[in-house]
Amino acid sequence: MVLNEDEQVEEIVARVAALDIGKAELVCCVRVPHPQRAGRRMQEVVTYRTMTRSLLVMVDRLTELGVTEVVMEATSDYWKPPFYLLEAHGLNPELVNARDVKHLPGRPKTDKLDAVWLCKLAERGMLRPSFVPPPPIRRLRDVTRYRADLVEVRTAEKQRVEKLLEDAQIKLSVVVSDIFGVSGRDMLAALIGGQRDPKVLAQLARGRMRGKLTDLEEAFTGYFTDHHARLLTTMLARIDGLTADIAGLEAMIEEMVAPFGHAVAKLDEIPGIGRAAASAIVAEIGLDMGRFPTPGHLCAWARFAPATKESAGKKKGPGSTGHGNRYLAKVIGEAVAGAAKTDTFLGERYRRLARRRGGKRAVVAVGRSMLVIIWHLLSDPDAHFIDLGSDFHAKRTDPDRRRRAYVHQLQALGYTVTLTPAA
């Protein structure tokens, strides 16, 4: 039994404040050293409205007290106004996860007590600040996330159109993979215009779809009424409006990522990641990889690594990764799906893992590999992606390659190795 020195240094943040934030008001707790009694602390707890003028009064008070660090819980979007004001006045705000600052059970819980508890944890350095990117990345993130939300809304509207056609016994989606393509939109417009003849509707097919004329005639044999036409008109107008809005946001994104064009171009080299996905990744993780000391830190933050849970010498839980940034998870998942169809190292890695472990685990594993690549590309300004090839794993398990490796190890130990052909 030996006592080992703990390398962690106990430090007390001298002048610290904590905010318990609500929609209409917040509670601010400040703790500073006692001016006359060494080792003792003084505390002030004040409630402020979340209007800008009240927040500026709070900022002036914190500046007057010499506060150097302000922490707050990530409560909905209510944390943003005080965070941005504090940041603009150089008061070093930090956002923390509410899960990390749970109040002790069995004790009274009020907004003031929560603020005091948060402040005591902060002054002892027991909180891990959440990642909040700088303003240019935050603005880009607002646009990329709004674009992703609109894409989801448009997808939901397209699904409503398909349900409406099913209600009218129009089985177009059975024959056509994309009913919103050029031919599909012409057919839907003809339905709205009053055309009900299946043969006439089928003749609107273009290109390779003309090989399915018989199936199209069967698909258009249904009970499409004026009621369906009115609903379909509204749904298509909504889809077209969303498409126009998405195109406008994409133009805005291209303008905003121009200063980060070099980073976006490097990420675009990764299989499965295009410019839109690269822009979304930059918006979510930023460009400063100093916030993530190693690739493992980035993967753990993005929840592409299993959580560690151990008790009584046994690992607990199903090994799930937990819930992380859903926007980043979505774009990485889509990138993995795209890479899986390519003849590259990442594509072969996905297919190899999917055969043994299933598609979901393969998505997480290849997504983690992508994040490791992204970390290295953004950490080194001269780094570029080099594909190892789809036969990389086959070469590693090649018997001749393994034999040469063993020979090299023996020679490094001083042995003379002579290879003789097998009888």
Side-chain angles (χ1 to χ4, degrees):
M1 304 293 287
V2 180
L3 289 174
N4 297 318
E5 181 181 355
D6 186 359
E7 297 181 358
Q8 184 175 359
V9 180
E10 291 289 341
E11 293 184 358
I12 298 293
V13 180
R15 299 178 177 272
V16 63
L19 309 181
D20 186 82
I21 302 175
K23 181 177 182 179
E25 62 183 21
L26 61 83
V27 178
C28 176
C29 175
V30 182
R31 290 175 63 85
V32 297
H34 196 287
Q36 298 173 347
R37 303 175 63 180
R40 302 301 294 271
R41 307 280 286 171
M42 297 187 67
Q43 176 177 296
E44 176 183 277
V45 182
V46 181
T47 300
Y48 296 93
R49 298 181 67 193
T50 53
M51 302 297 180
T52 302
R53 290 183 180 179
S54 298
L55 292 179
L56 289 174
V57 172
M58 180 191 70
V59 169
D60 292 339
R61 178 58 177 167
L62 296 180
T63 303
E64 177 186 347
L65 295 174
V67 171
T68 58
E69 184 176 308
V70 184
V71 298
M72 65 192 75
E73 290 186 27
T75 306
S76 183
D77 287 332
Y78 304 147
W79 62 270
K80 291 184 178 180
F83 187 97
Y84 296 160
L85 279 175
L86 292 167
E87 183 183 52
H89 287 76
L91 287 176
N92 190 29
E94 290 185 354
L95 192 68
V96 297
N97 194 321
R99 183 177 57 186
D100 296 339
V101 294
K102 287 184 177 178
H103 204 74
L104 289 178
R107 295 180 60 182
K109 184 182 185 306
T110 65
D111 291 343
K112 290 186 176 181
L113 290 177
D114 284 349
V116 173
W117 176 251
L118 184 60
C119 197
K120 289 181 178 180
L121 292 177
E123 73 181 6
R124 288 165 173 80
M126 298 174 66
L127 300 176
R128 298 176 299 175
S130 299
F131 169 59
V132 180
I137 301 296
R138 288 203 298 259
R139 290 190 287 269
L140 175 62
R141 175 186 285 187
D142 289 340
V143 182
T144 56
R145 286 187 174 184
Y146 186 45
R147 177 192 175 277
D149 292 339
L150 289 188
V151 170
E152 290 182 1
V153 174
R154 184 177 63 179
T155 301
E157 200 66 29
K158 289 182 177 182
Q159 290 171 345
R160 292 189 185 97
V161 170
E162 186 172 350
K163 290 182 179 180
L164 181 69
L165 295 178
E166 288 289 335
D167 184 75
Q169 194 57 25
I170 302 296
K171 311 293 288 188
L172 181 60
S173 60
V174 176
V175 183
V176 181
S177 59
D178 181 14
I179 65 175
F180 297 95
V182 176
S183 299
R185 285 303 298 262
D186 288 345
M187 295 171 182
L188 295 178
L191 280 172
I192 293 173
Q195 183 58 255
R196 301 290 185 266
D197 188 345
K199 292 184 178 181
V200 175
L201 292 170
Q203 288 299 324
L204 296 174
R206 303 183 184 182
R208 290 181 299 176
M209 198 183 298
R210 295 198 63 82
K212 304 177 181 180
L213 292 179
T214 303
D215 292 334
L216 286 171
E217 291 179 14
E218 290 289 333
F220 280 113
T221 303
Y223 302 95
F224 193 88
T225 65
D226 293 340
H227 165 73
H228 296 112
R230 287 194 294 269
L231 286 175
L232 182 58
T233 301
T234 303
M235 292 177 182
L236 292 180
R238 183 168 171 80
I239 291 172
D240 292 340
L242 289 169
T243 300
D245 292 339
I246 292 170
L249 290 175
E250 289 173 348
M252 191 184 304
I253 291 171
E254 282 296 323
E255 180 182 346
M256 297 179 72
V257 298
F260 321 127
H262 181 60
V264 171
K266 291 169 69 174
L267 298 186
D268 191 15
E269 299 172 0
I270 304 174
I273 296 181
R275 283 193 62 84
S279 301
I281 291 171
V282 169
E284 296 302 330
I285 68 176
L287 298 175
D288 181 16
M289 292 298 101
R291 302 296 297 267
F292 308 104
T294 66
H297 284 79
L298 174 59
C299 295
W301 174 80
R303 294 296 189 270
F304 272 78
T308 302
K309 297 179 182 178
E310 184 177 330
S311 178
K314 296 182 180 179
K315 292 185 177 181
K316 304 288 186 178
S320 62
T321 60
H323 299 287
N325 184 323
R326 73 179 184 91
Y327 292 96
L328 180 60
K330 181 179 180 181
V331 70
I332 293 294
E334 292 174 350
V336 171
K341 302 174 184 177
T342 62
D343 187 25
T344 60
F345 167 76
L346 292 175
E348 179 58 28
R349 175 169 168 77
Y350 173 85
R351 293 186 290 270
R352 186 172 60 89
L353 291 173
R355 287 193 296 267
R356 295 188 296 111
R357 306 298 300 277
K360 292 183 179 180
R361 290 180 182 271
V363 168
V364 175
V366 178
R368 177 184 174 88
S369 298
M370 280 191 174
L371 287 171
V372 171
I373 295 170
I374 290 168
W375 185 90
H376 284 288
L377 290 178
L378 295 181
S379 297
D380 184 356
D382 299 324
H384 288 276
F385 175 77
I386 299 177
D387 183 32
L388 298 177
S390 59
D391 57 348
F392 176 77
H393 291 292
K395 290 179 179 178
R396 292 191 63 183
T397 57
D398 180 60
D400 292 336
R401 183 181 182 279
R402 294 172 64 184
R403 188 182 301 112
R404 290 193 299 270
Y406 293 147
V407 169
H408 180 74
Q409 291 177 10
L410 290 171
Q411 291 174 341
L413 293 173
Y415 293 96
T416 301
V417 181
T418 303
L419 296 177
T420 57

